[in-house]
Amino acid sequence: MNPRRVIVKLSGERLGGRGPGGFSPLEAGSLARAVEDLAGLKGAGYGVGVVCGAGNLLRGRDSAFSDRVAADTAGMLATVINALALSDALGAAGVKARAYTVIPLPGHVAVYRPEAVREFLDSGGIGVFGGGTGAPFVTTDTAAALRALELGAGTILKATQVDGVYSADPKTDPSAKRFDRLTYDEVLDRRLGVMDLAAVELCRRGGIEILVFSGEAAGGPLRAITEPGFATVICRERN
């Protein structure tokens, strides 16, 4: 495991900005700058991979598809569109970036191969991953956990709509308590909905730390690592 290699999990909604859907170039540019900071072009020195969701384009469970497998497949393809868009935004900012997919699209997107991606990250590049896990019935949270395990990342940075993990939804429950630190077992036992529980279990097995932070905050990914208390930390032990 490489403690200076991280996976950033971004929702599709974050890529879509505050509009009614689709892809926001302004939001992509903002995210590109945040990832650039984390990757060390301004001193952080982290090898970064980014896993994209697709909620801005298509949510399989909310779509008009009658077949779940077809709906999830369409959702996975939508994450490839987001990976291409974000890698393009990074390239436009002068950052060495490449989109990868586990769904083969010969001649269009690089096929995800862990060995090749590790070399690319170690050379200073940023990998942007689309296609989810390549299988239906699985979330992109689980894809992020798998990418972290395969690439030997020590940390997953999970961007959310709130500033950490709470005992309940703070948007609807004003008494919800924010946690500074949690163990994997606490998240699993309480079924806290911050991340797909299958993804949390994979991280528990691999000892991958999860940092949950606000995706709305400027410089969020870098601050999650460098600013104590900015993110909720999920790990083996509370202390």
Side-chain angles (χ1 to χ4, degrees):
M1 182 184 296
N2 186 338
R4 297 190 70 80
R5 188 177 291 154
V6 301
I7 299 296
V8 181
K9 170 58 174 61
L10 295 176
S11 70
E13 290 88 346
R14 186 75 174 88
L15 287 161
R18 299 182 182 278
F23 184 82
S24 166
L26 182 63
E27 202 64 39
S30 173
L31 288 170
R33 288 189 295 275
V35 173
E36 175 188 359
D37 287 347
L38 180 64
L41 300 181
K42 296 181 181 174
Y46 285 88
V48 180
V50 182
V51 172
C52 296
N56 57 318
L57 299 175
L58 176 71
R59 282 189 176 278
R61 66 174 180 265
D62 299 329
S63 72
F65 286 84
S66 59
D67 179 73
R68 174 64 186 273
V69 174
D72 283 2
T73 300
M76 288 186 285
L77 290 171
T79 69
V80 178
I81 294 173
N82 279 338
L84 284 167
L86 183 56
S87 64
D88 179 73
L90 284 161
V95 180
K96 180 181 176 183
R98 183 176 298 159
Y100 294 91
T101 175
V102 294
I103 301 172
L105 295 168
H108 300 285
V109 189
V111 175
Y112 171 80
R113 303 186 195 284
E115 304 83 4
V117 173
R118 282 193 291 268
E119 290 181 7
F120 185 69
L121 298 186
D122 290 344
S123 73
I126 296 172
V128 188
F129 310 129
T133 65
F137 307 106
V138 182
T139 69
T140 50
D141 281 349
T142 300
L146 286 173
R147 297 295 88 85
L149 288 168
E150 292 164 344
L151 299 174
T155 305
I156 290 177
L157 305 179
K158 164 78 171 177
T160 68
Q161 295 181 1
V162 294
D163 63 343
V165 182
Y166 284 78
S167 58
D169 185 350
K171 293 183 177 180
T172 59
D173 184 351
S175 67
K177 175 188 174 183
R178 183 185 185 275
F179 299 103
D180 290 326
R181 296 181 71 88
L182 288 162
T183 66
Y184 305 114
D185 289 339
E186 286 173 326
V187 174
L188 293 168
D189 291 345
R190 299 185 189 191
R191 305 187 71 82
L192 297 173
V194 67
M195 197 172 193
D196 184 282
L197 296 182
V200 176
E201 174 61 22
L202 285 171
C203 290
R204 186 186 70 82
R205 293 181 188 180
I208 299 165
E209 193 172 72
I210 306 167
L211 304 183
V212 182
F213 66 98
S214 170
E216 300 291 328
L222 182 57
R223 292 175 66 190
I225 286 181
T226 61
E227 190 176 313
F230 180 76
T232 296
V233 180
I234 302 172
C235 54
R236 290 197 188 280
E237 304 290 340
R238 269 186 178 264
N239 299 314

